[in-house]
Amino acid sequence: MEKQANIEQRFDEEDGYDAVVVGSGYGGSAAAFRMSMAGIKVCLVEKGRRWESHDFPTDSLKIMSAFRMENRNLGVSFGPKDALLQVYEQGDSVAAVACGLGGGSLVNAGVMIPTPVRARRNPKWPKDWEGEWNSCEASAATMLRIQSVPVRFPNAKVVGDIAIGEIEDCSEDSMKLSINFDLEEPPSSQQMGSCLACGNCLAGCPYNAKNSTDKNYIRSAIQAGCIVKTECQVQFVLKNPYDSFQEGKTSRKRRRWRVYLNEIDYITSDFVVLSAGVLGSTGILFQSQMRGLRLSETLGSGVSCNGNTVAYLAGSPAPLNAYGLDGKQLPKKIFQERPGPAISSSYTSSLGFTIQTAVLPTAYPSLLFKGILTYGWPNGFWFFHGIIDKLKQLMGFKSSQAMVLNAMGYDESDGKIMFQKDTYKIHFTPPQDPLFLRKIKAFQKLTKKLGESSSCQGQVFDTQAPATVHPGLYVCDASLIPCSVGINPSLTIAAAAEYVSRYLVKDVLEYKSKRGIPL
């Protein structure tokens, strides 16, 4: 492996790439595709591995090898560092990260809701985006092949009636997902499966029905010539200290950037696009700053969590059907009575937040999920309640019904990501959430009723002079979004990546043209 890396280093030093994209989620995949389609020589680098549908965990034993947990409060961690699902707990906050070719699109619910007008009117929202935003959002929706949910599944029926009656001025949102329901015939080359409504989306679709970015943007980028390197974690980026080298009697320009995989091995490129997610991209920039790259002292500031508040409801007598089904259980239920996709309904209140219900995958140990992601009322009661709930589930009691409640809104976007130099680990403080108590009250109303039921263009600023940027260094992931959007941000991130990619492609092509490099 070391020998191969050294060979790659020498190759990249002599030739390298026009652009290196770090990360393969909604941001990185869109940037890699658009540049590759323009004839630009692109290398996409991904920390995780490729995941096929049959690789995704479908039971609690398998998920332990695909799950990593780090508790910053206790200083303990377990699970492989390249695990598909990575959870970081600190204080009363949790950050969840996906690791694999396709990034977060592999294990999210695939919810695709247009960016609300309220977010786009926020003073922090770049005005430059507005002229092209609708076309960028349409491009992203087309690539991700979003479709309407064809059936109102059981948990949506039960919760919908309660939500509209109990939460102030609550209305149901139109839902579209990047999931194939076989409503439209997919291209034969994609070999996509059709959604079986098993409810396991959040652990990765085992039936190849989710339109994750590896199946569209990345696949198309590869067809256009993009080189993909998986299981390669980028540590930091630095400017190439050598502008040129002698080749015979002529002087030849070197690539502008070095993308380091460790302290020795690197890939060279003229442009670097950081798309490793908010934690990943920020961590790379912190390590680059430590090694001399001039970056703003405000790096890591202004973090938003999209107002996300998660709760876990267990023990409801209502027929929620919000546990995922395994292969043996699927034939026993008709499509309409299955759990459905992870999220198939959404309700927005005039109080300023959106509530969605989510299905817990069959692979998730529900007791563990309840313990690390939720706080019971009263505190500490969750463990005892969780054991009883798990026993009921195993014994098949109808009263053992559970589901996840997720509320999204608008926080103050004043969170902070910090880098601990001695351990090389990221720490974070969450933003203030003025709607938190309202969301908790809404959760309590729902659970009570259920209990009763039967110019911003993505460039990185240089601190050497005001309003200057590092030529060839871009960020293209959720870090671009300047404020809470209040809904699932996947389509917003992809649209922002489409926008940045238009200028990124233009920048790369102009740079190549000035150097006299043929396309």
Side-chain angles (χ1 to χ4, degrees):
M1 184 69 180
E2 183 178 353
K3 182 178 179 181
Q4 181 181 358
N6 289 333
I7 292 173
E8 281 190 3
Q9 176 187 336
R10 291 197 297 271
F11 169 79
D12 290 328
E13 179 67 22
E14 294 176 1
D15 191 12
Y17 299 90
D18 296 330
V20 168
V21 177
V22 183
S24 59
Y26 292 108
S29 61
F33 168 64
R34 295 302 174 188
M35 286 192 290
S36 298
M37 288 295 290
I40 295 167
K41 185 180 179 183
V42 180
C43 177
L44 174 66
V45 182
E46 166 57 48
K47 172 185 174 182
R49 68 178 180 90
R50 294 175 185 266
W51 288 81
E52 302 296 339
S53 57
H54 56 79
D55 295 328
F56 292 118
T58 52
D59 60 55
S60 298
L61 291 177
K62 289 182 180 179
I63 204 170
M64 297 314 293
S65 62
F67 178 83
R68 177 173 177 81
M69 174 70 188
E70 288 193 18
N71 188 308
R72 301 289 167 79
N73 305 323
L74 303 177
V76 298
S77 61
F78 61 86
K81 291 186 176 181
D82 61 346
L84 172 66
L85 300 156
Q86 304 190 8
V87 176
Y88 304 89
E89 184 178 13
Q90 184 174 313
D92 60 355
S93 299
V94 170
V97 177
C99 183
L101 188 64
S105 69
L106 295 174
V107 294
N108 68 4
V111 178
M112 296 286 151
I113 300 178
T115 310
V117 173
R118 176 176 175 177
R120 293 167 60 176
R121 289 178 178 170
N122 189 297
K124 297 179 181 179
W125 192 264
K127 301 304 178 187
D128 295 346
W129 287 5
E130 283 306 290
E132 301 178 62
W133 187 259
N134 289 338
S135 64
C136 289
E137 203 167 66
S139 294
T142 298
M143 286 297 297
L144 295 167
R145 299 193 294 277
I146 66 176
Q147 297 184 16
S148 299
V149 181
V151 171
R152 190 170 174 82
F153 291 97
N155 67 82
K157 291 179 181 178
V158 174
V159 176
D161 294 337
I162 296 175
I164 293 174
E166 292 295 318
I167 302 175
E168 286 83 347
D169 295 328
C170 183
S171 59
E172 187 167 4
D173 305 318
S174 175
M175 285 285 290
K176 289 192 176 182
L177 308 176
S178 55
I179 292 176
N180 178 43
F181 293 103
D182 208 22
L183 299 178
E184 301 172 10
E185 188 67 27
S188 58
S189 60
Q190 302 295 323
Q191 297 180 340
M192 289 287 294
S194 181
C195 178
L196 299 183
C198 69
N200 293 308
C201 309
L202 300 182
C205 178
Y207 302 107
N208 202 34
K210 188 190 293 185
N211 286 308
S212 48
T213 59
D214 56 318
K215 296 181 176 67
N216 37 72
Y217 276 118
I218 296 174
R219 181 172 294 179
S220 298
I222 292 172
Q223 292 172 350
C226 178
I227 302 299
V228 174
K229 296 178 184 288
T230 56
E231 300 179 71
C232 291
Q233 183 173 3
V234 171
Q235 303 294 334
F236 54 92
V237 298
L238 293 176
K239 291 182 178 179
N240 196 331
Y242 307 105
D243 293 329
S244 60
F245 67 97
Q246 296 295 321
E247 188 178 69
K249 295 183 179 181
T250 61
S251 178
R252 181 179 167 191
K253 277 282 189 183
R254 290 186 187 272
R255 300 291 188 176
R256 295 191 294 186
W257 291 91
R258 289 181 176 181
V259 180
Y260 282 84
L261 306 179
N262 51 52
E263 295 291 342
I264 300 173
D265 302 312
Y266 56 81
I267 303 170
T268 59
S269 66
D270 289 321
F271 288 79
V272 179
V273 182
L274 297 180
S275 306
V278 173
L279 294 182
S281 293
T282 306
I284 291 170
L285 288 174
F286 268 125
Q287 293 207 49
S288 304
Q289 187 180 51
M290 283 177 55
R291 291 167 172 82
L293 185 65
R294 294 187 304 268
L295 295 171
S296 170
E297 292 303 316
T298 62
L299 176 64
S301 301
V303 174
S304 168
C305 293
N306 204 32
N308 266 46
T309 305
V310 179
Y312 177 75
L313 165 67
S316 170
L320 300 175
N321 285 357
Y323 279 122
L325 303 178
D326 60 31
K328 294 180 180 179
Q329 295 170 315
L330 273 175
K332 299 177 182 178
K333 290 182 178 287
I334 61 173
F335 185 83
Q336 293 85 347
E337 294 178 358
R338 294 174 185 172
I343 296 176
S344 62
S345 60
S346 178
Y347 310 92
T348 297
S349 167
S350 62
L351 295 176
F353 57 85
T354 294
I355 285 185
Q356 296 172 347
T357 60
V359 179
L360 199 63
T362 185
Y364 280 21
S366 56
L367 179 59
L368 177 64
F369 183 88
K370 185 183 181 75
I372 65 174
L373 294 186
T374 63
Y375 290 86
W377 297 297
N379 288 335
F381 185 65
W382 67 264
F383 187 78
F384 178 71
H385 192 283
I387 292 176
I388 296 176
D389 179 58
K390 187 63 178 178
L391 289 173
K392 287 181 178 179
Q393 179 191 358
L394 293 173
M395 296 173 69
F397 286 7
K398 290 184 179 180
S399 59
S400 181
Q401 295 284 345
M403 70 177 175
V404 178
L405 294 171
N406 181 37
M408 293 166 288
Y410 299 91
D411 57 39
E412 298 293 345
S413 301
D414 58 355
K416 189 172 180 62
I417 296 175
M418 297 155 288
F419 187 71
Q420 195 169 21
K421 295 181 180 179
D422 56 341
T423 62
Y424 281 60
K425 287 187 176 181
I426 287 287
H427 288 257
F428 54 88
T429 55
Q432 297 294 315
D433 185 354
L435 300 177
F436 180 75
L437 293 179
R438 293 183 182 181
K439 288 182 285 187
I440 295 299
K441 187 176 180 180
F443 284 160
Q444 291 173 329
K445 284 184 177 181
L446 287 174
T447 53
K448 181 180 179 181
K449 282 294 181 180
L450 287 169
E452 295 170 356
S453 298
S454 173
S455 165
C456 173
Q457 297 171 1
Q459 290 174 281
V460 177
F461 286 99
D462 187 347
T463 57
Q464 187 175 28
T468 60
V469 297
H470 288 289
L473 180 59
Y474 283 73
V475 171
C476 194
D477 55 26
S479 309
L480 291 171
I481 311 303
C483 60
S484 301
V485 295
I487 44 86
N488 309 75
S490 301
L491 186 56
T492 300
I493 297 169
E498 289 278 2
Y499 177 86
V500 169
S501 296
R502 295 182 181 188
Y503 292 89
L504 178 57
V505 167
K506 181 180 178 182
D507 198 1
V508 177
L509 294 179
E510 286 181 353
Y511 180 77
K512 288 170 67 69
S513 176
K514 289 178 182 178
R515 294 181 63 192
I517 301 173
L519 297 178

